[in-house]
Structures are given as C-alpha cells and as structure tokens.
Amino acid sequence: MIAAQLLAYYFTELKDDQLKKIDKYLYSMRFSDDTVKDIMNRFRRDMENGLGRDTGPTATVKMLPTFVRAIPDGSEKGDFIALDLGGSNFRILRVKVTQDKKQPVQMESQVYETPDDIIHGSGSRLFAHVADCLGDFMEKQKIKDKKLPVGFTFSFPCAQTKLDEAVLLTWTKKFRASGVEGMDVVNLLNRAIKKRGDYEADIMAVVNDTVGTMMTCGFDDQRCEVGVIIGTGTNACYMEELRHIDQVEGDEGRMCINTEWGAFGDDGSLEDIRTEFDREIDRGSINPGKQLFEKMASGMYMGELVRLILVKMAKEGLLFEGRITPELLTKGKIETKHVSAIEKSKEGLKKCMEILTRLGVEPSDEDCLAVQHVCTIVSFRSANLVASTLGGILARLKESKGVARLRTTVGIDGSLYKMHPQYARRLHKTVRRLVPDSDVRFLLSESGSAKGAAMVTAVAYRLTEQARQIQQTMAEFRLGEAQLLEVKKRMRQEIERGLKKNSHQEATVKMLPTFVRRTPDGTENGDFLALDLGGTNFRVLLVKIRSGKKRSVEMHNKIYAIPVEVMQGTGEELFDHIVHCISDFLDYMGMKSARLPLGFTFSFPCHQTSLDALLPHLKAPPSSQSSALVSKLLPHLKAPSSSQSSALVPKLLPHRKLLPRLKAPPSS
C-alpha cells in the first residue's frame, strides 16, 4: 500500500515537473486574459478599417459585403440545388423546403472527389469538373429538364457587388487553379454549364461557407446572426448594420459581412505573438505571408505545428532521449486528427503512445505526457485566438444594437470544432469571459454550409417573388415618358385656362393672383408681426429684419394649439381665438401697446383683390364677418398710415404672403 502511494506520488511529481518544463518552453503560446483582450481590440480596429470606404481596399481584414440581407423567416419554400466547393471533396445537394412542421427540409446529397490535379490545374478544368458533377447529379435525380434555383457555396475570399456575382480575390487552403483569381466564378461556372449544353441552372446566390453556416443555423434559430468555421480553415461572418458599410449604398437594414479573418495579422499586427514555429509553417506554405491568423488557428496547420515543436524539443534532448526519426521529420506525419485523439481525457495517453510509436521514436510514459501537454497548449492557443476574434464581433454587435445585454446565437461548423474533445468548451468559456454582458448560444451546424447555400437561395427566391408582386402592384403608379409628357400638356392647358378671364371660373387650376410683385432686394428693415394659420397649430412671430452690411433676421415666436371644436365651429369663434393668441403673444413679449405692421399666412385657397385683402375662394364671408375680424384685431394692432403700408409691403414679402386689411379704430 505504501509502495503504491509512493509510486503515485512520484508519478504526480514527475508529471507536474514535466508539464512545468513544457509550459516554460512554450511560454509564448500560452496567453493571459490581457493578451486575449488585446488581440480582440486589435481585431476590432481591423474590422473598422475593413468597413471604411477609404481604408477598406488596403485593410487586411477585408469585411466583404455578401449582399445577403436577411436570414430565413420560416416562410421559405421550394426546390433548390446547393453546391459546396471548398475542400478536397465537392458536395451537391437537392434541398426541398416546405411548410411541413415535422420535416420542413428534405435533402438528398452526393459527394464527388476533387483530385489534386484539378485543384492545382487550370480554372477551366476546375469548373468543367464542377459542371460535370452537377450534370451527373441532376441526371440521377431525374431533374435535367428542370431549371432549378442554385446556391453556390464557394469557400474562398471573394468581392461581391450582388448576390449572384463573386470575383475571387485569392485562393486559400490547398487550391491554386490558374486563371480564376480576379474572375467572376458564377460566370466561369455558367460558361462550363453552357459548354456541356445538356442542362440549365439558375445560379441565384454565391455564398461563403461561413454565410452558409449562419443561414443553416438561422433556419432553426432566427436569433442566429453570426456564422463561424473552425476546420481546415477558419473564418466568420455576421449581420452588420448597413449604415456602417461604406462600400454599399443605403442606410436602412442589415447585410451579412464576410470578415475573411484568416488574413488578420498579414500586415504585421500579430508579429509579437507569432512564434518561430508559426514562421516555419508560413515559409513552407503555398502562400507565404498570407492568411497568418488562419495558419496559427486552423486545423490545416495544427498537426504540423505540433510536429515542428516535437522535432525541436527532440533535437534539444527534451523528448525521446534526443531520438529523431525520418518519420518525425516528414511533413504532414502528425495531423490535427492525431492532436484531437491525443487530447482525449481517458484514452489520450494510449493513443499518443500508438501515434508516436508509428513515428519510430520509442516514447516513454514521460514523453507521452509531454506530447499531450504540447497538443493542449497548441489547441488551447487556437481556441483563444478564435475566441478573441469572435469576441470582437460580439462586442461590435452589442455596441451597434445599443443593448445592455446581448442575446444572440452563433452558428458553428468545422472539423476542428466538432472533432476535438476539448475545443468547444475552451472556446465558449473564453468568449463568455471576453464579452461578459451577453447570452450567447452556440449552435452546431448539423447539415453543413451547403444547406445554408440553399437557404440563401430560398430567401433570395422569396424576396425576388415578393419584389415581383410589389412591382406588379405598383405598375399602375409608374408613368412612362409619353404619359408624363401628356400630363405636362394637360397641366399647361389648365394653367392657360386659369389665367384667362373667360375660362377662369371653370378651370381646375385656379391661378389666383397674389399681388406679390417683387422679391426681397436686401434693403428690407424693421420689426414686424407675423401670423401663421394652416394646420392644427397657430403661430405668432415677431420678426426683426436688419439691412446694411450685417443683414440679419431675428425671430421670436410662440405656438398655440387650435382645439378641434374651434376649427370646426363658427368663423367668429375661430377669429376670437386668433385674437386671444395675438394678445397673449404681445403680452409675453412685453409690447402690448406696440404699433407694428402685420403679415398673415393664411394657407387656404383665397381670392385676392389686393395684397392686403382676401376672401375665401368662391365663398366670400359676409361683410359682417369681415368687420368682426377687423374689430377684433384692431384693439391690439394699429396699422401704419397708408403711405407707410405701401412702403412696408415689399419688406414683408420674404416672410409672409398676405396682409389683412386693418382700419384704424374711430378713437385713432
């Protein structure tokens, strides 16, 4: 019993000592919370640069508009084809979307291999291969005679100006087909399909795999507004407010942005956290200096990172008693699936022993512990890196929405996230630490991004159909050039009729003289009262006009409500109310006894016989009413002499159209 305890104690001490040595050796790959937050803030700055009109073209994080403006709302239906090109296999699906609650989506799919000679060959061969596979699939589905809507998941950085156009910016991962970069991939595929000539396809949407993931998860959870891929490569998309996207016209609504975060750090912004192993990975890649973040975090490179670390540690005598075998020195001998197997909690050490034995290094138990810890540090760093960039997106969403607590769903796909036993837990924990005021649901995409391409196409199809119905409804309201010219002609005729004495009464366009004969010339000067009646409120103003070198207009006003019962009562009640308001305003301004010229904006059709005399059009009020108005106004406002009135008329023109005729009361 004592011997067993001593052995366990020795083993624990040995383990702790070995892990401390590894921690010290790989210190630069182990991030503190402050480092992760700093990376998040750097990424947020790069997001801003990518969205800017001036900074976008040179930004490393491209923030590409996808022209996907909405996630599924549940009303989508139809029969669609989805293509998924982005890895060594090419996948085609037929997706039927119905309103059946039990099985709203039915899918049939087939996987076609994409050989290396096609991936590395010419673009024409690549798209001929895609067209051949699609033709084979349609023949097996017996739908060659149909022209179904097609969604195309194309998992590479593309610039889009519309949903069904995508110009490849650069190949990533293992692809490097010639003659494709700078070209519209939809056009290339259409040409390949046309060359075959035995079927037709309506390619309605091109989407990145991250967009496909977001849309797939969005069909199940309408809160989903972020899509993340953590697999062979890594990338993310999210729904951005349109007002923040300078490259796209418009301010209303949202649009999905493909961040292309794999290129984060290509400008040197991550040099302080890159290690010698990251630099060696980059030098041996097909695209040195590009996709540096992806090379630090994605599954394509994780196994190779571990191998490079093990080689150096063995050379320094820290592992395998310094033994280095040809297998250990062979690129690609340790894959990411091996890293995942080694990190399993129960059988991880056993798997590690098997993997290392196949490499011929004859590992000890202590070696296996060390290698397992190396794998943990490398995969944990990946989770921290992705958490920092995802945290940047979530923080931006929270800020854009202006909410105290963010509630959202992140759709995730990718082999590293799905297959690694610890990765998801580590990622979730770090994200929640970085964005504490949030309730984030992580939703695994079960059907892959290809279903998402079909969902994008379904949404596009729905919106297109809605637009067609709107166009049809609005067609009656659209006037062609000939119709507009006819309206112009008829308007000219009515203007002529309204201006002539013998046809004026019957004209619909009355062309009423206003007796306004001049516009301001800049010499206007003085203090004036102005009334404005035309809506639910009545406004009284004092307007002070100053001419000379420093011309100015100073206004003081007060707004008065006009009750409905007054608006719909008698004329006497209306003008009593107006006079009461004028009296109150003069009292408010401290000028109750002032004698000022007054202009009256009366916004109703009126017949005028002079600038300061009007009658409601076609229905003149009795003279008693006119007299009543004058008698009500005059106790408060005294008109200047006729000569003064004549001089003041042009001065009032910039401010008021009409002047009521005011006669001096008998006492004056």
Side-chain angles (χ1 to χ4, degrees):
M1 182 70 178
I2 295 173
Q5 289 176 334
L6 286 172
L7 185 63
Y9 175 76
Y10 171 75
F11 186 77
T12 302
E13 286 291 304
L14 181 69
K15 179 180 177 182
D16 289 345
D17 184 54
Q18 182 73 346
L19 297 188
K20 286 175 183 176
K21 286 179 181 177
I22 302 296
D23 285 341
K24 187 175 181 180
Y25 191 79
L26 297 178
Y27 175 78
S28 59
M29 299 185 88
R30 298 176 67 245
F31 296 161
S32 66
D33 277 0
D34 286 343
T35 299
V36 178
K37 287 177 184 176
D38 182 43
I39 295 169
M40 180 178 81
N41 292 330
R42 296 184 208 182
F43 181 68
R44 288 199 67 183
R45 288 194 293 270
D46 278 10
M47 288 175 71
E48 287 283 353
N49 290 336
L51 290 169
R53 190 185 304 275
D54 298 329
T55 53
T58 57
T60 51
V61 179
K62 288 298 179 187
M63 306 295 287
L64 302 170
T66 65
F67 294 84
V68 171
R69 297 174 181 265
I71 59 175
D73 66 1
S75 66
E76 292 77 18
K77 58 183 178 179
D79 197 354
F80 308 97
I81 298 290
L83 315 178
D84 189 357
L85 181 67
S88 55
N89 292 322
F90 171 51
R91 190 174 175 216
I92 305 179
L93 299 89
R94 184 179 181 186
V95 183
K96 294 180 181 179
V97 186
T98 67
Q99 299 297 302
D100 184 354
K101 293 183 179 179
K102 292 182 180 178
Q103 193 178 8
V105 179
Q106 301 169 35
M107 295 192 297
E108 296 175 74
S109 69
Q110 188 164 339
V111 175
Y112 296 86
E113 186 181 355
T114 310
D116 284 349
D117 63 321
I118 288 179
I119 289 174
H120 302 152
S122 68
S124 58
R125 280 193 67 199
L126 173 63
F127 285 98
H129 174 73
V130 172
D132 290 344
C133 295
L134 180 56
D136 177 75
F137 180 81
M138 293 179 76
E139 189 168 331
K140 289 176 179 175
Q141 290 286 319
K142 296 180 173 57
I143 54 174
K144 261 193 167 181
D145 58 331
K146 297 182 179 180
K147 189 178 180 180
L148 296 181
V150 176
F152 189 7
T153 299
F154 188 73
S155 306
F156 306 95
C158 289
Q160 292 187 253
T161 55
K162 49 187 177 180
L163 190 57
D164 59 353
E165 178 187 277
V167 175
L168 177 64
L169 297 176
T170 181
W171 285 118
T172 57
K173 293 171 273 194
K174 294 181 180 179
F175 278 72
R176 52 182 176 187
S178 62
V180 183
E181 291 181 348
M183 303 294 288
D184 175 16
V185 297
V186 174
N187 186 37
L188 293 175
L189 180 54
N190 278 331
R191 278 159 55 183
I193 292 170
K194 188 176 181 180
K195 191 173 181 180
R196 279 181 57 97
D198 59 338
Y199 68 89
E200 291 184 290
D202 183 14
I203 303 172
M204 293 188 67
V206 184
V207 300
N208 186 274
D209 53 355
T210 56
V211 181
T213 297
M214 184 187 75
M215 296 297 277
T216 297
C217 296
F219 187 76
D220 300 320
D221 183 348
Q222 291 184 19
R223 282 189 183 276
C224 186
E225 51 190 343
V226 182
V228 179
I229 299 290
I230 314 170
T232 304
T234 183
N235 190 21
C237 70
Y238 72 103
M239 296 300 290
E240 176 62 85
E241 300 296 323
L242 201 59
R243 67 181 185 272
H244 296 154
I245 310 172
D246 288 350
Q247 308 100 303
V248 178
E249 296 298 324
D251 295 323
E252 297 297 323
R254 306 170 89 199
M255 181 180 289
C256 181
I257 288 291
N258 168 20
T259 66
E260 287 299 335
W261 74 19
F264 178 37
D266 285 7
D267 59 352
S269 62
L270 296 179
E271 282 307 299
D272 58 322
I273 64 169
R274 290 178 74 218
T275 66
E276 59 182 296
F277 309 110
D278 297 310
R279 294 184 178 91
E280 191 170 346
I281 286 275
D282 181 44
R283 285 193 297 270
S285 68
I286 63 171
N287 55 349
K290 296 181 179 179
Q291 300 295 109
L292 297 184
F293 179 81
E294 185 170 75
K295 289 170 184 173
M296 296 169 72
S298 74
M300 183 172 176
Y301 306 96
M302 186 177 288
E304 185 63 8
L305 268 172
V306 169
R307 188 190 69 82
L308 292 174
I309 293 169
L310 299 188
V311 167
K312 186 176 181 187
M313 291 181 71
K315 284 180 178 178
E316 295 179 7
L318 298 173
L319 283 175
F320 319 132
E321 296 180 348
R323 288 186 296 275
I324 299 174
T325 64
E327 289 83 1
L328 184 62
L329 291 172
T330 302
K331 184 177 180 180
K333 279 294 184 178
I334 298 181
E335 301 176 42
T336 299
K337 65 180 180 181
H338 297 142
V339 176
S340 297
I342 289 169
E343 285 197 68
K344 288 183 178 177
S345 55
K346 291 183 179 178
E347 69 268 29
L349 289 174
K350 181 182 176 183
K351 289 287 185 184
C352 185
M353 180 69 75
E354 292 173 4
I355 292 164
L356 294 175
T357 300
R358 286 200 298 269
L359 295 176
V361 294
E362 300 177 20
S364 64
D365 290 341
E366 188 178 14
D367 287 332
C368 290
L369 278 171
V371 171
Q372 187 182 57
H373 198 52
V374 168
C375 291
T376 298
I377 290 172
V378 170
S379 62
F380 213 132
R381 185 186 72 155
S382 169
N384 278 335
L385 286 168
V386 173
S388 65
T389 47
L390 178 55
I393 289 175
L394 295 172
R396 182 174 180 85
L397 280 174
K398 181 175 179 293
E399 187 177 287
S400 293
K401 292 182 176 184
V403 293
R405 192 168 190 85
L406 176 69
R407 294 186 64 194
T408 192
T409 297
V410 176
I412 302 191
D413 198 1
S415 55
L416 179 55
Y417 181 85
K418 287 180 176 179
M419 305 305 295
H420 192 286
Q422 314 293 337
Y423 198 97
R425 179 182 58 81
R426 292 168 182 167
L427 175 71
H428 301 172
K429 191 174 180 180
T430 307
V431 166
R432 289 181 174 124
R433 216 162 53 241
L434 287 171
V435 193
D437 295 326
S438 61
D439 298 314
V440 181
R441 181 190 181 201
F442 292 89
L443 183 60
L444 185 63
S445 173
E446 299 292 351
S447 307
S449 57
K451 176 186 171 184
M455 290 299 107
V456 173
T457 307
V459 171
Y461 190 75
R462 167 173 61 84
L463 296 176
T464 300
E465 182 59 21
Q466 288 176 354
R468 186 193 64 77
Q469 292 176 2
I470 291 170
Q471 291 275 358
Q472 188 176 357
T473 303
M474 299 299 294
E476 295 180 46
F477 297 92
R478 292 189 178 87
L479 300 177
E481 185 177 351
Q483 290 171 303
L484 290 171
L485 289 171
E486 179 61 24
V487 172
K488 174 186 172 184
K489 176 184 172 184
R490 294 182 191 180
M491 184 66 179
R492 286 289 300 272
Q493 290 172 346
E494 283 301 306
I495 287 173
E496 291 290 339
R497 292 183 67 206
L499 288 170
K500 292 179 179 177
K501 185 179 290 186
N502 57 355
S503 57
H504 170 76
Q505 292 298 326
E506 292 77 31
T508 53
V509 181
K510 289 301 178 185
M511 307 298 289
L512 301 170
T514 65
F515 294 88
V516 174
R517 299 171 182 267
R518 290 166 56 189
T519 57
D521 64 7
T523 63
E524 293 76 19
N525 194 70
D527 295 348
F528 308 94
L529 283 176
L531 315 180
D532 188 355
L533 179 68
T536 55
N537 292 322
F538 171 58
R539 194 158 65 132
V540 185
L541 304 92
L542 172 65
V543 183
K544 298 183 177 184
I545 304 173
R546 299 293 177 263
S547 60
K549 290 183 179 180
K550 294 184 179 180
R551 287 188 293 175
S552 65
V553 177
E554 180 186 336
M555 291 192 293
H556 305 273
N557 73 89
K558 197 171 182 183
I559 296 173
Y560 298 88
I562 300 182
V564 175
E565 60 270 20
V566 172
M567 280 192 276
Q568 298 177 0
T570 65
E572 187 161 353
E573 289 171 339
L574 174 63
F575 287 106
D576 279 346
H577 181 75
I578 289 171
V579 169
H580 173 77
C581 295
I582 297 170
S583 177
D584 177 79
F585 178 77
L586 292 172
D587 192 44
Y588 169 77
M589 294 299 296
M591 48 189 299
K592 193 84 172 182
S593 60
R595 309 177 85 184
L596 296 176
L598 181 144
F600 192 1
T601 297
F602 190 73
S603 304
F604 305 96
C606 289
H607 174 66
Q608 287 187 250
T609 56
S610 64
L611 185 60
D612 57 354
L614 60 90
L615 296 173
H617 184 61
L618 298 179
K619 192 175 180 182
S623 58
S624 60
Q625 279 192 358
S626 178
S627 300
L629 169 61
V630 172
S631 63
K632 288 176 174 60
L633 289 174
L634 283 174
H636 305 286
L637 303 166
K638 297 186 179 180
S641 66
S642 58
S643 60
Q644 285 179 316
S645 177
S646 176
L648 287 170
V649 166
K651 296 179 174 59
L652 288 170
L653 286 173
H655 309 285
R656 290 293 175 264
K657 299 174 186 174
L658 310 174
L659 289 170
R661 183 181 294 277
L662 300 174
K663 297 181 180 179
S667 60
S668 65

